Amino acid sequence: MTTVSILPEEVVAHILGFLGLPDRKSASLVCRNWLQAARHPALMRDVVVDAGSCLSGAAAASSSGSILPPEWKPLVRSLALGSHTSSSKSSFALSWRQLADTLDGCHRLVSVDLSGCDGLCLARDLLSDESQRRHLRDQLVGVRHLSLAGLTRLTATGLKRFVDLFTNLKSLNLRSCSLVCSSSVAIGSMADASVLTFAAVLDVVRRCGIEELDLSCTDVTDSALEQLAKVDSLHLRGIALDSCRLLEGRGLARLIASQRGSLRRLSLAKNRHLQTVGSQPATADQLTELLAPGCSNFINDRLLIASSSSLTVLDISDCGRVSEGALTTALTAARQLRSLAVARCSAFTDAAVTESLTSSDEASLRMLEHLDASSCAGFTDVGLRLLCGHLGKSLRSLRLAWLRGVTDWGLLGLPQPKSKDGEQCEPKYNPPSYNELKSLLSRSVDNSEAAIGPNYSLLSLRRLRLLDLSNCSKVSGIGLDEIFPSSQFPFPDLEELHLQGNRHVQDSHLFNLALGAPSLRQLHLSGSVGVSDKGLVAIVSRCHRLRSLGLANCDGITDAGLQHLAADSLHYVDLSFCSRVSQAGLDQLARRAPRIAEMRGLWTGTELTGN
């Protein structure tokens, strides 16, 4: 027995307190004493428990009893007792007696998630005991967030009983609930016991002073939102209305106007019929998050709502009617922007990036951490070089999937050579040779060549944690050699890498990646025909934190390579359409690696195991 393993538990717990949670989990696997130290109460200040999967086991066999150990209850801050997918069998396993026994004693609880627990709504005596409700109410005074998403059988009476447990509730999630907004529904005890009416939701908002409300995937109407806007002393800080098929915009405009100065977060994803968001940009002058992917009718005037200096998150993916001028205006005004998603948005061009970055001394986008520019046809090497040159210290996530305008030259911060007639080498793209790269990289860059050189290459983004170069047809093996060199790896914090559809990826690139990115958690190489068992072994043997591995359509992977996939950290493997992988090899992998929760293989692409 080593000296370290016999240290007192308090000493080991104190040492582990200086580590982050992922490193602390790895340290707990060293020995039994370190495992006990990692569970020391001093290290469990803000415990988050997702117990949905536990309900399908022994806890579901009994209709009563807490599913949490007694020593955990005083430490738990966030508790998820349901399933996030309605198809899960555990969604119906939780009984109301288990809920009451589990909540009893959780004094520090702040968030409760009962998503998908439809079985609770079937009990006729759901929290009907007043003395029991009073006892729980006294212990749950700190709960501010309640999620009832996916409770399709939730009624007005059930909602009232749930909310009565939490006297300081400020956030309510009713996503995918069967909400009835029609004024023709009778009001009374019979209706409250059979359906969830919008009048009941208004009553909860009024009594509790709800500040965060999620009504996504419901049948909420414009008239209902107009009623919500009329609630006295309403101060909404955030509202989510994703995929509300009956929403046209009139009620939303009234609601935004009534919440001028208080609304911070607005989510409108996939609302195809949305027409009007606000008559004036000032109606949301304090907005910090605007999420509107899939709003095909999200025209220029509505984008001006986001023109504020406090905007930090903007998502207008698939908004094809947004003009370049409107987007440039919004980006120039949003100087605190940290996350930008413009996938499949034609307005995001090199000109928009140039104007936003160079319009003033205090240019916008300088604090940008996350950028999704997938399938933006107008974004090319020119815009990429500018982003890399100005965002080298901030950018952490970069998605460039399906960009035909991004080439090896742009990744390396170099101008694409021109043909004899002065035009760029288009439409046929010729990858650079090694001699050309050496010549350009070795020479000193003239000051007249703006935004060119090593400081404007992808290599300057040293803080990157996510990089997506999927299906970039003009990124060849030569460019990948420079991005993933054998000497000093440029992205030491890289956790997620997407190279799907790139036929130039070779085993040598994986060798360099394994040596330079030990923190890699997700690697997706679907369609990389140059990857074989050797590259797979290099990745698995050195990237000990790898959790997700995508190898679909990789014909170089064989049954022999699957023998090396028994890593403890690996939870997801995609081996779909790998022609040299057999059913016997998949069965053997399932036996050797029981920790893999989902595995896809053969020619179906469907789930084979679900441990």
Side-chain angles (χ1 to χ4, degrees):
M1 180 178 295
T2 63
T3 306
V4 177
S5 61
I6 61 175
L7 286 174
E9 181 178 322
E10 291 76 9
V11 176
V12 178
H14 179 74
I15 296 174
L16 295 180
F18 294 96
L19 302 179
L21 183 58
D23 295 327
R24 197 185 307 166
K25 291 173 61 178
S26 300
S28 66
L29 302 176
V30 173
C31 61
R32 188 177 300 274
N33 291 342
W34 282 32
L35 176 61
Q36 296 298 328
R39 295 177 177 176
H40 196 278
L43 300 177
M44 305 177 73
R45 301 184 184 91
D46 299 315
V47 179
V48 177
V49 178
D50 188 349
S53 58
C54 301
L55 300 180
S56 60
S62 175
S63 60
S64 62
S66 173
I67 64 174
L68 286 180
E71 61 272 15
W72 282 23
K73 290 188 175 183
L75 306 171
V76 175
R77 299 276 289 178
S78 178
L79 181 62
L81 297 177
S83 171
H84 299 285
T85 58
S86 58
S87 60
S88 175
K89 295 180 180 180
S90 64
S91 302
F92 300 89
L94 184 66
S95 67
W96 69 268
R97 291 183 181 178
Q98 282 181 318
L99 173 63
D101 293 341
T102 301
L103 294 178
D104 189 10
C106 297
H107 306 289
R108 301 186 63 210
L109 203 58
V110 174
S111 175
V112 177
D113 187 352
L114 301 175
S115 301
C117 294
D118 244 1
L120 293 174
C121 303
L122 299 177
R124 295 182 178 179
D125 52 353
L126 171 63
L127 300 173
S128 58
D129 189 350
E130 177 60 30
S131 61
Q132 185 184 43
R133 292 207 306 269
R134 188 183 306 111
H135 174 71
L136 291 176
R137 191 183 302 122
D138 294 338
Q139 299 193 40
L140 301 175
V141 293
V143 175
R144 298 178 63 85
H145 309 280
L146 174 63
S147 177
L148 302 176
L151 270 65
T152 57
R153 296 179 175 88
L154 182 65
T155 63
T157 303
L159 176 63
K160 181 178 181 300
R161 289 181 178 177
F162 276 122
V163 173
D164 282 345
L165 293 179
F166 314 110
T167 56
N168 293 319
L169 193 65
K170 296 300 178 184
S171 175
L172 179 61
N173 186 352
L174 297 176
R175 186 184 185 94
S176 300
C177 290
S178 299
L179 186 62
V180 178
C181 299
S182 176
S183 58
S184 61
V185 177
I187 299 177
S189 57
M190 294 296 294
D192 291 345
S194 58
V195 296
L196 175 61
T197 61
F198 192 75
V201 177
L202 288 178
D203 183 62
V204 170
V205 171
R206 187 181 295 108
R207 287 191 297 110
C208 300
I210 297 295
E211 298 178 354
E212 298 277 347
L213 184 61
D214 191 342
L215 298 175
S216 301
C217 303
T218 64
D219 289 337
V220 64
T221 61
D222 290 283
S223 300
L225 293 184
E226 289 177 350
Q227 297 178 35
L228 180 62
K230 297 177 181 179
V231 174
D232 296 334
S233 65
L234 178 66
H235 296 287
L236 280 180
R237 295 181 59 86
I239 185 168
L241 298 167
D242 304 338
S243 301
C244 294
R245 59 187 181 90
L246 301 181
L247 198 62
E248 295 181 355
R250 184 185 70 257
L252 179 58
R254 184 72 59 85
L255 179 62
I256 293 176
S258 67
Q259 299 304 301
R260 181 182 303 179
S262 64
L263 193 63
R264 297 291 187 273
R265 184 178 186 273
L266 179 61
S267 182
L268 306 171
K270 298 181 181 179
N271 283 310
R272 296 181 302 168
H273 304 290
L274 189 63
Q275 295 289 337
T276 303
V277 172
S279 57
Q280 297 178 356
T283 54
D285 52 0
Q286 298 298 321
L287 200 64
T288 59
E289 297 185 25
L290 176 59
L291 308 175
C295 294
S296 56
N297 293 326
F298 200 59
I299 61 176
N300 304 341
D301 293 341
R302 299 179 189 106
L303 186 61
L304 295 179
I305 295 178
S307 299
S308 67
S309 59
S310 59
L311 189 66
T312 60
V313 178
L314 177 62
D315 187 349
I316 54 172
S317 302
D318 296 296
C319 293
R321 298 189 180 183
V322 176
S323 70
E324 180 180 325
L327 180 59
T328 303
T329 302
L331 295 182
T332 304
R335 303 187 184 281
Q336 303 297 322
L337 196 63
R338 295 184 179 273
S339 178
L340 175 63
V342 287
R344 297 166 296 280
C345 183
S346 58
F348 190 76
T349 62
D350 294 337
V353 173
T354 303
E355 180 67 21
S356 301
L357 287 173
T358 60
S359 59
S360 63
D361 294 336
E362 298 178 359
S364 59
L365 301 182
R366 295 300 176 89
M367 300 180 64
L368 195 66
E369 297 180 0
H370 308 280
L371 174 63
D372 184 358
S374 303
S375 300
C376 292
F379 185 70
T380 67
D381 289 344
V382 178
L384 179 60
R385 290 199 301 264
L386 281 172
L387 285 176
C388 294
H390 290 87
L391 306 181
K393 296 181 179 180
S394 62
L395 202 61
R396 298 186 179 186
S397 172
L398 180 60
R399 293 187 178 273
L400 302 174
W402 294 98
L403 290 184
R404 296 189 59 190
V406 171
T407 68
D408 295 328
W409 304 101
L411 296 183
L412 301 177
L414 299 173
Q416 185 172 334
K418 299 180 180 180
S419 59
K420 296 181 180 179
D421 55 0
E423 297 181 358
Q424 290 186 344
C425 301
E426 292 285 353
K428 183 179 180 180
Y429 171 69
N430 298 316
S433 64
Y434 278 106
N435 294 332
E436 288 177 312
L437 286 181
K438 288 180 180 179
S439 175
L440 288 171
L441 291 174
S442 60
R443 71 178 178 84
S444 58
V445 180
D446 190 356
N447 293 332
S448 62
E449 296 179 305
I452 295 175
N455 293 333
Y456 293 90
S457 70
L458 195 69
L459 305 179
S460 63
L461 305 179
R462 297 190 56 83
R463 300 185 64 183
L464 271 187
R465 294 185 178 180
L466 185 152
L467 178 60
D468 187 353
L469 295 174
S470 304
N471 297 286
C472 290
S473 58
K474 296 183 180 179
V475 175
S476 68
I478 297 177
L480 294 176
D481 288 340
E482 297 296 328
I483 297 175
F484 306 123
S486 58
S487 54
Q488 184 178 1
F489 192 76
F491 314 117
D493 298 329
L494 192 66
E495 297 181 355
E496 185 173 347
L497 178 62
H498 296 259
L499 293 173
Q500 298 99 311
N502 194 320
R503 57 187 177 86
H504 300 288
V505 179
Q506 303 292 329
D507 289 336
S508 59
H509 302 133
L510 299 187
F511 295 153
N512 300 338
L513 181 65
L515 292 172
S519 300
L520 196 65
R521 295 178 179 272
Q522 296 187 40
L523 179 60
H524 302 275
L525 301 170
S526 301
S528 301
V529 295
V531 175
S532 68
D533 292 340
K534 295 180 180 180
L536 178 61
V537 172
I539 287 292
V540 176
S541 61
R542 292 184 178 272
C543 299
H544 302 292
R545 296 183 180 180
L546 193 65
R547 295 178 60 87
S548 179
L549 183 60
L551 297 171
N553 284 295
C554 292
D555 295 334
I557 304 299
T558 66
D559 290 343
L562 299 188
Q563 299 178 5
H564 302 276
L565 290 181
D568 292 337
S569 61
L570 202 59
H571 287 190
Y572 172 84
V573 178
D574 186 0
L575 296 166
S576 307
F577 306 101
C578 291
S579 59
R580 301 176 65 184
V581 173
S582 66
Q583 180 64 51
L586 292 174
D587 294 339
Q588 184 178 7
L589 174 61
R591 291 191 297 268
R592 291 172 53 88
R595 289 181 178 270
I596 297 181
E598 185 176 357
M599 180 168 61
R600 301 176 183 271
L602 293 184
W603 301 101
T604 60
T606 56
E607 183 179 343
L608 297 179
T609 63
N611 300 333

